[in-house]
Amino acid sequence: MPEGDTVYQAARRLDAALAGSTVTRFELRVPQAATADLRGEVVHGVASRGKHLLHRIGTWTLHSHLKMEGEWHVYRRGERWRAPGFRARAVIGATAPDGTEWETVGFDLADIKVVPTADEDDLVGYLGPDPLSDSWDPAEAARRLHADTRAVHVAVQDQRSIAGFGNEYANEILFVRGILPTTPADHVDAAALVDLGARMIRANRDRVDRTFTGDARRGLTTWVYGREGRPCRRCGTLIRRSALGADPSRERIVFWCPNCQR
């Protein structure tokens, strides 16, 4: 599942190709935005905000969310797409100042909207501080997290508190901090948890393969995530698995070590 670091990397690739370019093709294959046409406009840049992607084009912002399976691809004009066309939800063609012709394609995207850039906060203003943003505010993130009385595994994924952490990060952060996932968020050291999570996601934003252990080899990248029934890398106790969520429709898989997390 795409998390904040994945979305940040996607924004960086898109920005490298599109920033300063003039839009020559603008096709949104979703009913609510199908009539939008930004051809002739200049792409000012592409940025991430938590798990949201923002293309700033002319005086407009194209907003998209990767959800579970979404992805953006960058191609030179005429290159064969690496995914079937029926999955494409957005296609942006652009010509760079040096004449290079780009084509970026968003597959399996969600929440596609085009709004005036001045109204961008209507879509993402509710998000909490983003550890990958220049405006990262750890104190505010800790304050929001500490105000939440739900299980910390649920609270740390609430994008209103911290933008960017998903289920994999929640599991790994709580293991390293030695916190049982069901512990109420207002019972933990929120500042220390936020600091660790920020350092983790910042370390991963420039990596090809995400790792929490420092080892990028296959099967060695996580402490507990995806390791149900296997020995804990610290103490040897078998990792357990259950589910938690804000409600039954939003449950996420939880992995933990019953000895290291109490």
Side-chain angles (χ1 to χ4, degrees), residues 46 54 184 230:
V46 183
L54 306 168
R230 299 178 186 177

Side-chain angles (χ1 to χ4, degrees), residues 30-80:
V30 291
Q32 68 270 24
T35 60
D37 186 358
L38 299 184
R39 287 176 297 176
E41 300 285 358
V42 173
V43 181
H44 301 301
V46 183
S48 64
R49 179 80 182 274
K51 299 184 180 185
H52 301 253
L53 272 166
L54 306 168
H55 287 72
R56 289 155 181 156
I57 305 172
T59 59
W60 299 88
T61 293
L62 166 63
H63 166 272
S64 63
H65 196 294
L66 301 185
K67 292 291 185 182
M68 294 291 288
E69 299 175 344
E71 54 187 352
W72 277 92
H73 293 186
V74 177
Y75 302 99
R76 294 293 183 105
R77 183 76 52 80
E79 276 189 288
R80 184 185 179 92

Side-chain angles (χ1 to χ4, degrees), residues 84-98:
F86 71 83
R87 290 174 47 199
R89 298 293 176 266
V91 183
I92 302 174
T95 301
D98 65 1

Side-chain angles (χ1 to χ4, degrees), residues 56 81 89 183 250:
R56 289 155 181 156
W81 293 358
R89 298 293 176 266
T183 306
R250 289 184 285 172

Side-chain angles (χ1 to χ4, degrees), residues 125-178:
Y126 73 93
L127 295 171
D130 180 349
L132 298 182
S133 166
D134 292 338
S135 59
W136 167 236
D137 185 343
E140 176 61 15
R143 185 194 69 77
R144 294 189 185 201
L145 182 64
H146 187 67
D148 199 327
T149 59
R150 296 174 297 174
V152 66
H153 185 271
V154 174
V156 80
Q157 294 182 75
D158 191 329
Q159 301 300 294
R160 296 169 298 181
S161 294
I162 309 167
F165 293 152
N167 196 38
E168 189 172 358
Y169 272 94
N171 279 282
E172 295 294 296
I173 291 169
L174 295 180
F175 172 79
V176 174
R177 285 293 304 162

